[in-house]
Amino acid sequence: MTLRAYMAGMDSRHPERTLDLLEPDFRFLIALPGREVTGTSREDFAAYIAGRNPVDRAHEILRHSRDGDVETVYGVVTEGGRYTGSFLSAAVISPGGLLARYQSFFTTSFELVDWARPDDRSRV
C-alpha cells in the first residue's frame, strides 16, 4: 500500500525521500486546524516538507482500504509518544504505483475510531 510507505517516509529522519513516491505533477491538499496547504507539483510538496518542524512525529494507521486506484487510511498522530490528533487521508495511485493526488484532513478535536493510548489501554 503506497500510503503506508508515504506515512513511514514522512515519519522518518529523511522525509524528503517521500518525494520518490510522488508523480511529477502530484497535486495535494493537507487540511490542518486553521489552515490548508495545497500544491500542484512534487516541487510544491518538497517546499511543504522543508517547512515542517522536525519533531518525533508518528502516524499510526488504524484502518486502511483500497478500491481500484484509490487508497484511504485513518489513524492518529503522536509527537514524542503523545497523542496530538487524528487524520483521514486518501490518495489516487498512478498506474506506476506512485501518488498522483493526495488529500488529508487532520483534527485535534475528534477521533472517528477510538485509539487505545499506551498510557490508557482500557479504551478501545
Side-chain angles (χ1 to χ4, degrees):
M1 178 174 251
T2 307
L3 274 180
R4 283 187 179 276
Y6 163 82
M7 296 286 179
M10 291 298 287
D11 292 343
S12 76
R13 292 181 185 254
H14 300 283
E16 68 279 1
R17 292 181 184 161
T18 60
L19 298 174
D20 294 337
L21 298 173
L22 311 180
E23 289 290 348
D25 62 346
F26 177 67
R27 290 191 323 217
F28 65 95
L29 162 73
I30 301 171
L32 303 166
R35 72 183 183 112
E36 291 184 351
V37 180
T38 61
T40 58
S41 67
R42 187 184 295 158
E43 291 75 22
D44 289 347
F45 197 74
Y48 165 70
I49 291 172
R52 293 174 78 215
N53 293 330
V55 294
D56 180 16
R57 182 179 295 119
H59 294 78
E60 183 177 338
I61 296 172
L62 303 178
R63 301 288 191 276
H64 59 88
S65 67
R66 181 168 184 151
D67 183 14
D69 62 351
V70 175
E71 293 182 6
T72 59
V73 293
Y74 173 81
V76 297
V77 175
T78 59
E79 290 184 7
R82 300 181 67 174
Y83 172 86
T84 60
S86 60
F87 64 91
L88 181 60
S89 301
V92 173
I93 308 304
S94 71
L98 301 176
L99 278 80
R101 308 291 178 263
Y102 175 72
Q103 68 179 14
S104 185
F105 298 91
F106 176 77
T107 180
T108 58
S109 62
F110 183 78
E111 289 180 53
L112 181 65
V113 175
D114 289 336
W115 176 60
R117 292 171 174 84
D119 60 340
D120 182 11
R121 291 292 179 184
S122 64
R123 291 185 57 197
V124 176

